Amino acid sequence: MSLSMPQPPAAALRAVIGALDSPNAVRAVRTAAMRRRTGVLAPAHPLPVHLLDPASAAAEPAELVTALTAAPRTGWRFLIRDEEEIVAAADTRETPEGHSFSHFAEGPYPLATLRALNQAKQHTAGSPTVFLPRLLSVPGHYMTALWLHPVLDRAQSADVLIPLAPAPLGVTAHLPHDADELLSLLSLGGDQLLTVTS
């Protein structure tokens, strides 16, 4: 298998389980699917979240490789499962004291994340390179993408981004893109359509 799922820090997992056990935290979630749960809510599919800040996202194309590599990890995101159904996501943040629960995420991104993970398994199947999945937040372009980072030297395999839906204008969601190409085009502006794989 060419996709290696990361193991979250124990403190991040404990923070999410603690929030799921808190009636107040769960009650604050507006999603009907999470409120009408039929089983025990459980965290699944943990992914580290990295931030590509707006200044880096607007950098010259030649600087984007360095910017992506240096994108700091800000926390972890767990999909929240009710039996076999994904009903929300839970975010933690990294602090000087460790990991703490941040919030439950609703909307289209939890299901889009699961879809992108399934696409990533197909995209990397048969590849000799092992890829680590991450989430990349690019707030300067209102984009979140599943980031497939090769374990080996980038000279052998490039980073891949699968934009989650909804994607920025001109970017095709759920289509694997060469990370350097996608970020370079984003840095040039949103008027170029990305509709083919690299």
Side-chain angles (χ1 to χ4, degrees), residues 8-88:
L13 181 59
R14 283 196 302 270
V16 170
I17 292 174
L20 289 172
D21 288 340
S22 166
N24 290 336
V26 173
R27 195 178 301 120
V29 179
R30 294 185 301 275
T31 177
M34 193 167 174
R35 289 199 313 269
R36 72 167 188 271
R37 65 185 184 212
T38 57
V40 176
L41 296 175
H45 307 296
L47 292 168
V49 179
H50 292 255
L51 175 68
L52 190 64
D53 66 51
S56 296
E60 292 297 321
E63 300 171 358
L64 288 170
V65 174
T66 303
L68 181 62
T69 303
R73 189 178 68 202
T74 58
W76 285 76
R77 172 168 284 196
F78 297 76
L79 298 184
I80 302 302
R81 190 178 62 217
D82 177 14
E83 302 293 340
E84 297 304 314
E85 181 185 7
I86 298 299
V87 295

Side-chain angles (χ1 to χ4, degrees), residues 141 168-172 181-195:
H141 293 285
L169 183 64
V171 174
T172 302
E181 177 185 297
L182 175 57
L183 294 175
S184 294
L185 288 172
L186 283 176
S187 72
L188 295 174
D191 55 348
Q192 300 192 40
L193 292 178
L194 297 173
T195 56

Side-chain angles (χ1 to χ4, degrees), residues 64-65 68-69 123 129 131-132 134 136 146-162 176-183 198:
L64 288 170
V65 174
L68 181 62
T69 303
H123 183 75
T129 301
F131 289 87
L132 295 175
R134 304 168 170 175
L136 182 69
L146 184 67
W147 173 14
L148 305 182
H149 180 65
V151 174
L152 301 178
D153 187 354
R154 291 185 83 253
Q156 298 181 33
S157 298
D159 289 271
V160 175
L161 294 178
I162 303 177
H177 297 282
D178 178 277
D180 296 345
E181 177 185 297
L182 175 57
L183 294 175
S198 304

